[in-house]
DNA sequence: CTTAGGG
DNA sequence: CCCTAAG
C-alpha cells in the first residue's frame, strides 16, 4: 500500500515542462502549472537532498545495527534503483513491498509506526489542533528526496553541501553551494512555543537513507498526502520515505486538507470536481496574496484543525500553507567551530562554486570526531567540546548549511515512466530551482537583518550566544525574477514569515530522528541539539556527511544540502527563473492536446447538449477526465470551430478528421441558431 | 460556480 | 491554457 501511495504524491515544486512546447508556453506566461490526472500527480516537497547523507549512512549503517528499518530501506532503495523498472511497477509492485517488508520492517509495522507516531504526536501535543497543522506543514514542505544524483556526484554534493562560512567581515559565502541558502532554524519556534512535540514535523516527513554508497538513496517525502485514485487510503508523506518507519507522521487531517491541492482522485466525485474547480481560484488567491496567506497560513491552519471547517475550506488553507512553505526556503545550517584540526579535515575543495570535501577527510573526521553510537547521547558531549572550541576562536564563525528546502515541484510523470526518468525529472526540477535566482536572508532572533554592511560582530552573530538565534532564508532574487509580483513580494513575505517558517521546519532534528531508532527518546534531544547547533559548532559533524550520521546527524548535521553540479544540462531545459521565483504561486497547467477521441466525445456531447452547457458537457463526456475542465471544453470547442473554418493548410497540430470538423460546424450552426431563436423568443415574450 | 469571451 | 467579468 505504501508504495502504491507513492504515486499519489505529487512533487510540490517547480513543474518540469513535459515538452519544450509546454516550456515555452510557460515561459511566455511566466507561470507554470502542471497537473496530472490520469498520470500520477505527485506533490512532493523536496527537501533537498543530499547525498552527503549517503556517506554518513554508510558509516552509520555499520554502527547502527539497531535499526531494522535500514535494511528495509536499503532494499527498498535498491528496488527503486532499477532505472529501467517502470515507475508504476515499482510503486504498485506487491513484490517490492514484500521485499521491503521482509528486510526488516513489515509493511504493517511500517504503517503502524506511522500511525503511532502520528497519534503520539497529537496526543503529546496537547493542542489537538496544533499538532496536525504542524505535521501537515512540515510534511508538505519538508520532503527529502535523496538520490537525485548519481552515487558519485551524490557524494560530492553532499560533502560540499551547505557549507557556509561567515567571515568576520560579515561576508557570507557558501563554500559548498552555488545556491543561496538559508539556514533554517526551524525548530526554535517550536521549542519556544512548546506546542509541538519535539521533532514533530520534520522528522516525520524527512528521513535519511541509510543506503550504502552503491545505492542511490532517494528520499521523497510527500508534502502532505497524496491520494491515488483507486485508493482510499491516505498516505502520509512519511510512508514514502524510507526513514519513515522511524518517523512516521502526518495526520489524517493533512490528508484531507491537502486533497484539494493534490490530486483528489480518491475523493468523491462531487468533491473532486469541487476541489478542481476551486483549484484555479486557489491559485489565483495564492498568486495575489501569496505572501500574506503564507504568513497567516499557519495560524489559520491551526485554528482550522480545531474547528469544524469545511473540507474545501481546509484544503484551501492547506494549499496556502503549502505555498508558503514552498516559498520559504529555509536552510538549516550548522555552525561549526573553526578549529585547526577540524579545518584541515573539513577543508573543502572548490570546483565551479561547489565545494567538495575529500572523502578521506570526511571519513577521518567522522571517525574521529563522532562516536559511532547512534543516538543523542553522543551529541551533547561532542557539542559541548565543540562549543568550547568555538569560544576559543570566536573571531571566526563557521556555518554549515545542512539542508535547504527546495520550492515546491510539480512533476508529472506517467506511471509507465522508468525510475530513471523519474530521477532525471526530479533532478531537473531541483537543479532548476537551485539555479534560480535566490538570495540569502539573514534572520537573527526572528528579525531580518537588512543591513548588509554590518559586521557579524556588530550584529551579534559573532557571539555564540547569538548564534542560536541565527537563521538563513532563501528568498527569490527579485533582480532575476521575471515577475514583478514575485520580486515585489519577496522582500516582505519571507521576512515577515521568517519566524514561523523556522518553527515549522525542524528539519535537522527530523532527519536525525529518522535514523534513531528510539524516536520518542531522541526527539527531545534532537531538537535541543539542533538548536544548539546553530549556536555551537560541531567540527565533527560539519564537514563530513559521514560524521553527520546518527549522533550528530540526528541533531542537525544530517540534512545536507546538495548543490549539484549536475543539472547543468537539465537547466537548459527548465525555465529556472520563473520556476524558482513564482512558479509556486501560479503554475500553468500542462498542455494536454485533445486527442481525436476526446474531440469526438466533445463533439458528440455538444451535438446533444448544445453550446453553453459546458458543465453538462463535462459531466457527460469528460467526467472521468479530471484534467479537462468545462472551461477547457469550452475553449476546445472554440478552437474546433475556428479550426473547422480555416483551411486545412492553416491548421496546426494533430489533424482532426474533417468529418469531425464538419460535425463541429454543423452543431455550432445549429446551436447558434437555437440560441438566437430562443433569444428572439424571449424578446418577443417580453 | 458557470459562462462567455478576450488574451 | 489563462484570466476576468458577469450572472
Amino acid at each position: 500500500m505504501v508504495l502504491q501511495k507513492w504515486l499519489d504524491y505529487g512533487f510540490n515544486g517547480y513543474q518540469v515542462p513535459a515538452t519544450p512546447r509546454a516550456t515555452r508556453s510557460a515561459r511566455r506566461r511566466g507561470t507554470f502549472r502542471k497537473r496530472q490526472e490520469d498520470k500520477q500527480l505527485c506533490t512532493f516537497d523536496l527537501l533537498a537532498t543530499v547525498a552527503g547523507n549517503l556517506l554518513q549512512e554508510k558509516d552509520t549503517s555499520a554502527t547502527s545495527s539497531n535499526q531494522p528499518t535500514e535494511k528495509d530501506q536499503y532494499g527498498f532503495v535498491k528496488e527503486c534503483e532499477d532505472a529501467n523498472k517502470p515507475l508504476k511497477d515499482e510503486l504498485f509492485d506487491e513484490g517490492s513491498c514484500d521485499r521491503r517488508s521482509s528486510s526488516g520492517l513489515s509493511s504493517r509495522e511500517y504503517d503502524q509506526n506511522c500511525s503511532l507516531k502520528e497519534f503520539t504526536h497529537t496526543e503529546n501535543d496537547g493542542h489537538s489542533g496544533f499538532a496536525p497543522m504542524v505535521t501537515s506543514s512540515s510534511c508538505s514542505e519538508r520532503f527529502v528526496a535523496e538520490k537525485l544524483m548519481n552515487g558519485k556526484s551524490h557524494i560530492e554534493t553532499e560533502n560540499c553541501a551547505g557549507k557556509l562560512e561567515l567571515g568576520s567581515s560579515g561576508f557570507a559565502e557558501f563554500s559548498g553551494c552555488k545556491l543561496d541558502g538559508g539556514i533554517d532554524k526551524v525548530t526554535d519556534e517550536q521549542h519556544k512555543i512548546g506546542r509541538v512535540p519535539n521533532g514533530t514535523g520534520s522528522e516525520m516527513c524527512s528521513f535519511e537513507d541509510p543506503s550504502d554508497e552503491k545505492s542511490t538513496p532517494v528520499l521523497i517525502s510527500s508534502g502532505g498526502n497524496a491520494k491515488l485514485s483507486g485508493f482510499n487510503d491516505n498516505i502520509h508523506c512519511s510512508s514514502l520515505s524510507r526513514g519513515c518507519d522511524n518517523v512516521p507522521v502526518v495526520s489524517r487531517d493533512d490528508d484531507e486538507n491537502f486533497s484539494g491541492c493534490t490530486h483528489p482522485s480518491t475523493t468523491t466525485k462531487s468533491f473532486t470536481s469541487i476541489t478542481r474547480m476551486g483549484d484555479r481560484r486557489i491559485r489565483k488567491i495564492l498568486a495575489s496574496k501569496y505572501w500574506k496567506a503564507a504568513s497567516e497560513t499557519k495560524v489559520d491552519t491551526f485554528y482550522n484543525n480545531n474547528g469544524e471547517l469545511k473540507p474545501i475550506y481546509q484544503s484551501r488553507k492547506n494549499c496556502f500553507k503549502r505555498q508558503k512553505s514552498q516559498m520559504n526556503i529555509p536552510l538549516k545550517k550548522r555552525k561549526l567551530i573553526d578549529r585547526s584540526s577540524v579545518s584541515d579535515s573539513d577543508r573543502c575543495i572548490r570546483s565551479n562554486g561547489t565545494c567538495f570535501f575529500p572523502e578521506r577527510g570526511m571519513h577521518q573526521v567522522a571517525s574521529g570526531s563522532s562516536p559511532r553510537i547512534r543516538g543523542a547521547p553522543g551529541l551533547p558531549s561532542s557539542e559541548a567540546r565543540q562549543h568550547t572550541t568555538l569560544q576559543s576562536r570566536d573571531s571566526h564563525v563557521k556555518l554549515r548549511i545542512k539542508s535547504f528546502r527546495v520550492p515546491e515541484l510539480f512533476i508529472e510523470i506517467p506511471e509507465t515512466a522508468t525510475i530513471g526518468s523519474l530521477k532525471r525529472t526530479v533532478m531537473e526540477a531541483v537543479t532548476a530551482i537551485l539555479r534560480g535566482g535566490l538570495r540569502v536572508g539573514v534572520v537573527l532572533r526572528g528579525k531580518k537583518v537588512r543591513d548588509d554592511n554590518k559586521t557579524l560582530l556588530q550584529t551579534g552573530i559573532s557571539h555564540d550566544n547569538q548564534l542560536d538565534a541565527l537563521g538563513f532564508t532563501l528568498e527569490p532574487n527579485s533582480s532575476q525574477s521575471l515577475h514583478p509580483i514575485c520580486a515585489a513580494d519577496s522582500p516582505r513575505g519571507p521576512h515577515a514569515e521568517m519566524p514561523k517558517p523556522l518553527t515549522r521546519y525542524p528539519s535537522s532534528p527530523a532527519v536525525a530522528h529518522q535514523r534513531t531508532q528510539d524516536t520518542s527518546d531522541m526527539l527531545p534531544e534532537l531538537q535541543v541539539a539542533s538548536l544548539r547547533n546553530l549556536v555551537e559548532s560541531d567540527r565533527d559533524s560539519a564537514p563530513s556527511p559521514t560524521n553527520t550520521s546518527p549522533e550528530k546527524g540526528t541533531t542537525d548535521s544530517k540534512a545536507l544540502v546538495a548543490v549539484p553540479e549536475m543539472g547543468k544540462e537539465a537547466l537548459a531545459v527548465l525555465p529556472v527563473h520563473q520556476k524558482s521565483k513564482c512558479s509556486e504561486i501560479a503554475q500553468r497547467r500542462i498542455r494536454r492536446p485533445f486527442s481525436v477521441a476526446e474531440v469526438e466525445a466533445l463533439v458528440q456531447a455538444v451535438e446533444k447538449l448544445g453550446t453553453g452547457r459546458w458543465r453538462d458537457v463535462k459531466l457527460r463526456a469528460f467526467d472521468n477526465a479530471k484534467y479537462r475542465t468545462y472551461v477547457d471544453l469550452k475553449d476546445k470547442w472554440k478552437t474546433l470551430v475556428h479550426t473547422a473554418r480555416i483551411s486545412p493548410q492553416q491548421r496546426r497540430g494533430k489533424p482532426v478528421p474533417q468529418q469531425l470538423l464538419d460535425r463541429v460546424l454543423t452543431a455550432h450552426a445549429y446551436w447558434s441558431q437555437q440560441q438566437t431563436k430562443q433569444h428572439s423568443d424571449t424578446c418577443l415574450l417580453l
Side-chain angles (χ1 to χ4, degrees):
Chain A
M1 289 303 291
V2 172
L3 292 179
Q4 292 174 343
K5 291 174 182 179
W6 260 44
L7 287 180
D8 261 350
Y9 284 82
F11 291 82
N12 288 337
Y14 297 115
Q15 138 183 13
V16 177
T19 64
R21 188 175 181 180
T23 302
R24 284 195 301 273
S25 176
R27 286 183 180 177
R28 191 182 59 218
R29 288 195 168 255
T31 58
F32 270 97
R33 178 188 175 191
K34 253 191 181 178
R35 297 193 75 178
Q36 178 170 343
E37 292 296 340
D38 37 349
K39 298 177 182 178
Q40 299 300 332
L41 171 76
C42 310
T43 35
F44 289 91
D45 283 342
L46 281 188
L47 190 142
T49 351
V50 176
N53 294 334
L54 292 179
L55 291 179
Q56 293 178 353
E57 310 240 13
K58 178 182 180 180
D59 293 344
T60 304
S61 63
T63 304
S64 61
S65 59
N66 44 347
Q67 281 190 344
T69 304
E70 288 186 356
K71 289 185 177 181
D72 290 348
Q73 292 177 352
Y74 282 107
F76 182 73
V77 171
K78 287 180 179 179
E79 287 295 323
C80 292
E81 283 300 307
D82 185 353
N84 295 327
K85 189 173 184 176
L87 179 60
K88 180 177 181 180
D89 292 347
E90 186 71 30
L91 298 177
F92 291 85
D93 186 0
E94 284 283 329
S96 300
C97 294
D98 293 345
R99 272 171 285 187
R100 183 174 62 73
S101 302
S102 64
S103 57
L105 181 64
S106 66
S107 60
R108 179 182 301 175
E109 289 178 57
Y110 191 79
D111 292 344
Q112 284 181 342
N113 288 337
C114 294
S115 300
L116 177 61
K117 179 113 187 179
E118 177 180 347
F119 176 77
T120 301
H121 201 45
T122 304
E123 291 293 87
N124 290 340
D125 186 7
H127 299 265
S128 60
F130 189 81
M133 177 204 83
V134 172
T135 301
S136 67
S137 64
S138 61
C139 289
S140 64
E141 295 161 69
R142 187 163 276 274
F143 116 133
V144 176
E146 286 187 345
K147 185 155 192 167
L148 293 178
M149 311 170 241
N150 296 337
K152 181 179 179 180
S153 60
H154 200 49
I155 293 170
E156 291 176 354
T157 301
E158 180 176 358
N159 292 342
C160 69
K163 183 169 185 176
L164 174 60
E165 295 183 9
L166 293 180
S168 60
S169 61
F171 173 77
E173 165 179 63
F174 285 79
S175 61
C177 307
K178 293 179 180 180
L179 306 180
D180 294 331
I183 294 173
D184 180 2
K185 191 176 178 182
V186 175
T187 316
D188 296 359
E189 277 286 318
Q190 292 179 346
H191 286 289
K192 293 178 182 176
I193 296 171
R195 291 182 179 181
V196 180
N198 291 339
T200 297
S202 24
E203 303 88 278
M204 306 187 140
C205 296
S206 57
F207 5 73
E208 291 220 338
D209 258 8
S211 60
D212 55 11
E213 351 165 69
K214 290 181 179 179
S215 66
T216 8
V218 175
L219 294 184
I220 299 172
S221 71
S222 64
N225 57 343
K227 291 181 179 179
L228 192 54
S229 58
F231 294 92
N232 290 330
D233 297 348
N234 292 329
I235 283 185
H236 296 295
C237 56
S238 59
S239 25
L240 292 179
S241 62
R242 299 166 43 197
C244 97
D245 4 27
N246 291 335
V247 189
V249 179
V250 178
S251 62
R252 294 293 173 186
D253 290 346
D254 275 25
D255 291 345
E256 282 187 357
N257 291 340
F258 280 99
S259 62
C261 296
T262 57
H263 196 60
S265 57
T266 306
T267 57
T268 61
K269 182 175 179 178
S270 61
F271 181 76
T272 301
S273 63
I274 292 172
T275 55
R276 282 196 58 76
M277 295 305 182
D279 190 293
R280 287 192 180 189
R281 181 177 176 181
I282 292 170
R283 272 182 281 145
K284 247 190 262 182
I285 294 170
L286 289 175
S288 61
K289 302 191 176 182
Y290 173 83
W291 294 110
K292 182 177 180 180
S295 62
E296 295 176 356
T297 300
K298 186 172 188 176
V299 174
D300 292 345
T301 303
F302 176 83
Y303 289 102
N304 289 342
N305 287 336
N306 287 335
E308 298 282 333
L309 294 182
K310 294 178 181 179
I312 294 174
Y313 180 72
Q314 288 181 341
S315 66
R316 288 180 182 175
K317 287 292 182 179
N318 285 321
C319 290
F320 288 120
K321 183 199 299 184
R322 199 179 226 184
Q323 289 294 332
K324 173 186 176 180
S325 65
Q326 296 167 353
M327 289 306 292
N328 296 327
I329 307 169
L331 296 186
K332 276 201 174 178
K333 69 170 181 188
R334 178 180 209 158
K335 180 177 162 187
L336 299 179
I337 297 172
D338 183 348
R339 187 171 181 172
S340 61
S341 62
V342 174
S343 301
D344 293 346
S345 61
D346 291 356
R347 187 157 304 180
C348 67
I349 299 170
R350 285 190 188 180
S351 174
N352 295 333
T354 303
C355 168
F356 302 100
F357 292 92
E359 281 192 36
R360 290 182 184 176
M362 295 171 57
H363 286 293
Q364 290 175 352
V365 172
S367 63
S369 63
S370 63
R372 290 305 172 131
I373 299 168
R374 137 183 332 191
L379 292 176
S381 63
S382 64
E383 296 227 353
R385 282 179 293 177
Q386 293 173 352
H387 184 62
T388 303
T389 304
L390 178 61
Q391 287 180 340
S392 64
R393 283 197 176 191
D394 54 340
S395 61
H396 284 73
V397 177
K398 266 192 173 180
L399 299 176
R400 183 189 189 192
I401 298 173
K402 300 169 77 177
S403 66
F404 67 91
R405 188 177 303 283
V406 178
E408 186 173 90
L409 297 175
F410 279 96
I411 295 175
E412 178 180 8
I413 190 164
E415 291 179 340
T416 55
T418 62
I419 294 299
S421 66
L422 174 60
K423 290 176 184 176
R424 284 190 294 274
T425 302
V426 174
M427 178 67 124
E428 289 176 1
V430 172
T431 300
I433 294 169
L434 294 180
R435 290 229 175 177
L438 294 176
R439 69 180 176 214
V440 176
V442 176
V443 177
L444 186 62
R445 296 192 170 183
K447 277 196 169 186
K448 175 93 178 182
V449 178
R450 298 175 184 278
D451 190 347
D452 292 346
N453 295 324
K454 272 191 179 180
T455 64
L456 295 181
L457 188 63
Q458 290 174 328
T459 308
I461 294 175
S462 60
H463 301 288
D464 54 14
N465 60 339
Q466 299 287 350
L467 291 176
D468 61 339
L470 180 63
F472 293 84
T473 59
L474 287 180
E475 304 166 3
N477 189 342
S478 59
S479 63
Q480 294 183 8
S481 174
L482 295 180
H483 304 284
I485 293 176
C486 293
D489 291 347
S490 60
R492 71 184 174 199
H495 306 286
E497 291 184 352
M498 277 309 301
K500 290 180 180 180
L502 292 179
T503 304
R504 298 169 63 182
Y505 314 83
S507 60
S508 32
V511 173
H513 193 59
Q514 254 182 331
R515 290 218 166 188
T516 305
Q517 207 168 6
D518 180 354
T519 304
S520 61
D521 293 348
M522 291 302 292
L523 289 178
E525 287 234 349
L526 292 178
Q527 287 196 349
V528 174
S530 65
L531 291 178
R532 293 183 63 180
N533 283 341
L534 293 178
V535 177
E536 299 177 355
S537 66
D538 182 346
R539 66 178 182 181
D540 295 0
S541 60
S544 67
T546 308
N547 184 0
T548 324
S549 47
E551 340 121 31
K552 280 277 167 151
T554 306
T555 55
D556 232 6
S557 53
K558 260 300 189 98
L560 293 181
V561 177
V563 177
E565 262 208 333
M566 43 197 199
K568 292 180 180 178
E569 335 89 63
L571 291 180
V573 177
L574 297 180
V576 174
H577 302 291
Q578 299 170 351
K579 289 185 176 181
S580 62
K581 310 299 179 181
C582 304
S583 61
E584 301 107 350
I585 294 175
Q587 289 186 324
R588 199 173 205 259
R589 288 189 300 160
I590 185 174
R591 184 175 177 276
R592 290 170 172 276
F594 277 72
S595 65
V596 173
E598 285 180 305
V599 172
E600 164 75 29
L602 176 60
V603 171
Q604 188 171 333
V606 173
E607 286 174 339
K608 179 82 176 181
L609 300 174
T611 57
R613 297 178 60 188
W614 302 111
R615 182 175 176 277
D616 293 333
V617 171
K618 156 72 177 173
L619 294 175
R620 179 187 180 89
F622 293 84
D623 194 31
N624 292 329
K626 281 143 188 148
Y627 52 92
R628 303 293 189 198
T629 67
Y630 46 72
V631 174
D632 294 332
L633 301 179
K634 183 261 301 178
D635 289 342
K636 180 57 182 175
W637 183 260
K638 181 173 63 178
T639 58
L640 279 174
V641 172
H642 178 262
T643 301
R645 287 172 174 171
I646 62 178
S647 64
Q649 294 78 13
Q650 293 176 297
R651 296 170 190 166
R652 297 182 302 173
K654 189 165 49 183
V656 177
Q658 186 59 39
Q659 177 188 346
L660 276 178
L661 292 176
D662 293 339
R663 289 171 63 189
V664 167
L665 287 179
T666 302
H668 187 264
Y670 173 78
W671 287 107
S672 294
Q673 181 183 350
Q674 292 296 317
Q675 219 167 22
T676 303
K677 183 186 295 181
Q678 201 161 33
H679 182 265
S680 61
D681 290 346
T682 303
C683 291
L684 290 175
L685 290 175
L686 293 177

